[in-house]
């Protein structure tokens, strides 16, 4: 009810000229959009969106993205159990895939149900990372490309990803169905990092925002209750001479 009340209040504040325009703007103001606006306003009130803070966040991003990339690759090294999709759309067989510790080979193979994850040395198949051409997701994957449009296929499509690689003179695919949306994000991010591509998943965005907020607060801990100016202080003019400087290159007699 609070969200509905806020939707109406925000829409009426825009003073729509007709009922149709009012309906359009209310429909555009979804639940997620209301939450985003609330967070933005809260950040403005806390001063988090001040120009110096935004500049600090931009400087922290490369280091934190490197941390997220390292976590994704470690998750790939741990490996995951995936389901195989049979011709009858049944997920009754399992296989295991992991990344080698040196990040150069994907190791995989079938496993029996009820058996724990195998050791990397026991996996029979290997795919060199250098042979991978591209990462495909969703409907671009060959194992879901020309299937039906039912709800089950839609759920599978949201968890599907594939890697294309060179096998002799032909292009071959290694197809995955992630066990959960989180695993889908972790694996697609990790594979993107291996291929030198940016990690563009929603999970990466959430992790980055959480780390940026935490790191920014830690950096500004000593400035609590100290107002942060919108503009940096002016740089004083240079002195008339630099005779006060000491030249370390001059040897003493």
């Amino acid at each position: 009810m609070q969200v509905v009340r806020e939707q109406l209040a925000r829409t009426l504040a825009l003073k729509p000229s007709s009922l149709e325009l009012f309906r359009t703007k209310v429909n555009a103001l979804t639940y997620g959009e209301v939450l985003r606006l609330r967070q933005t306003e809260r950040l403005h009130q806390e001063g988090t969106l001040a120009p110096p803070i935004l500049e600090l966040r931009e400087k922290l991003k490369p280091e934190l993205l490197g941390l997220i990339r390292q976590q994704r690759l470690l998750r790939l090294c741990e490996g995951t159990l995936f389901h195989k999709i049979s011709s009858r759309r049944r997920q009754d067989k399992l296989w295991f895939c992991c990344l080698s510790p040196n990040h150069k080979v994907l190791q995989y193979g079938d496993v029996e149900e009820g058996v724990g994850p195998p050791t990397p040395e026991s996996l029979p198949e290997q795919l060199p990372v250098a042979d991978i051409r591209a990462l495909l997701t969703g409907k671009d994957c060959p194992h879901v490309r020309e299937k039906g449009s039912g709800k089950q296929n839609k759920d599978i499509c949201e968890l599907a990803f594939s890697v294309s690689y060179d096998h002799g003179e032909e292009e071959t695919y290694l197809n995955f169905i992630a066990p959960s949306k989180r695993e889908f994000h972790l694996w697609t991010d990790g594979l993107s990092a291996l291929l030198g591509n940016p990690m563009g998943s929603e999970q990466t965005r959430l992790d980055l925002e959480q780390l940026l907020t935490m790191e920014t607060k830690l950096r500004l801990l000593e400035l609590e209750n100290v107002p942060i100016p919108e503009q940096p202080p002016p740089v004083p003019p240079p002195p008339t001479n630099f005779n006060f400087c000491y030249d370390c290159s001059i040897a003493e007699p």
Side-chain angles (χ1 to χ4, degrees):
M1 291 300 295
Q2 292 178 354
V3 173
V4 173
R5 186 182 298 110
E6 191 165 345
Q7 287 174 324
L8 296 175
R10 289 181 182 273
T11 305
L12 291 174
L14 299 175
K15 298 180 179 179
S17 57
S18 65
L19 184 59
E20 188 63 31
L21 185 59
F22 172 81
R23 289 173 178 167
T24 302
K25 292 190 175 297
V26 165
N27 292 332
L29 203 61
T30 61
Y31 178 78
E33 181 68 14
V34 171
L35 294 184
R36 188 189 65 80
L37 291 172
R38 283 180 177 178
Q39 183 181 16
T40 303
E41 291 169 357
R42 179 177 58 81
L43 293 176
H44 275 292
Q45 292 174 358
E46 295 177 354
T48 310
L49 295 183
I53 307 302
L54 294 177
E55 185 177 348
L56 174 62
R57 287 168 62 92
E58 288 299 319
K59 289 183 178 180
L60 293 174
K61 272 186 180 181
E63 179 184 354
L64 297 180
L65 281 173
L67 181 63
I68 295 173
R69 179 182 183 277
Q70 183 181 7
Q71 187 273 337
R72 298 295 192 263
L73 294 178
L74 287 174
R75 184 66 189 87
L76 264 61
C77 291
E78 292 176 4
T80 303
L81 281 172
F82 295 96
H83 285 282
K84 281 189 173 182
I85 304 298
S86 64
S87 58
R88 297 182 179 181
R89 315 296 291 161
R90 292 177 56 190
Q91 303 183 33
D92 51 359
K93 293 184 179 181
L94 298 174
W95 65 291
F96 185 81
C97 184
C98 66
L99 179 67
S100 62
N102 60 4
H103 300 169
K104 292 184 177 181
V105 177
L106 285 177
Q107 300 170 289
Y108 60 96
D110 295 340
V111 297
E112 295 294 333
E113 188 174 358
V115 179
T119 60
E121 296 79 13
S122 64
L123 297 172
E125 303 292 339
Q126 291 189 350
L127 169 59
V129 174
D131 292 344
I132 297 178
R133 289 186 181 181
L135 171 66
L136 308 175
T137 59
K139 295 181 179 179
D140 294 331
C141 299
H143 56 311
V144 296
R145 187 176 295 165
E146 297 179 354
K147 305 296 181 182
S149 58
K151 182 180 185 300
Q152 182 183 7
N153 184 73
K154 182 179 179 182
D155 295 339
I156 293 176
C157 186
E158 292 178 352
L159 301 175
F161 61 98
S162 304
V163 288
S164 62
Y165 62 95
D166 296 322
H167 184 67
E169 297 181 355
E170 298 181 353
E171 184 178 14
T172 315
Y173 298 92
L174 183 62
N175 302 317
F176 299 79
I177 298 293
S180 65
K181 197 66 177 177
R182 176 175 173 79
E183 287 293 328
F184 173 82
H185 291 318
L186 296 180
W187 271 83
T188 52
D189 283 341
L191 292 172
S192 296
L194 283 176
L195 298 176
N197 299 327
M199 300 177 294
S201 75
E202 180 69 13
Q203 188 64 43
T204 292
R205 188 189 67 80
L206 294 175
D207 290 347
L208 178 61
E209 182 61 33
Q210 184 178 8
L211 291 173
L212 279 173
T213 301
M214 180 180 64
E215 187 67 21
T216 302
K217 289 182 177 180
L218 289 175
R219 297 289 182 96
L220 300 177
L221 198 58
E222 297 181 358
L223 297 179
E224 189 174 0
N225 299 325
V226 176
I228 299 176
E230 292 287 329
Q231 300 295 332
V235 180
T240 55
N241 62 73
F242 293 88
N243 295 335
F244 56 87
C245 292
Y246 180 76
D247 191 354
C248 298
S249 63
I250 299 178
E252 295 184 1

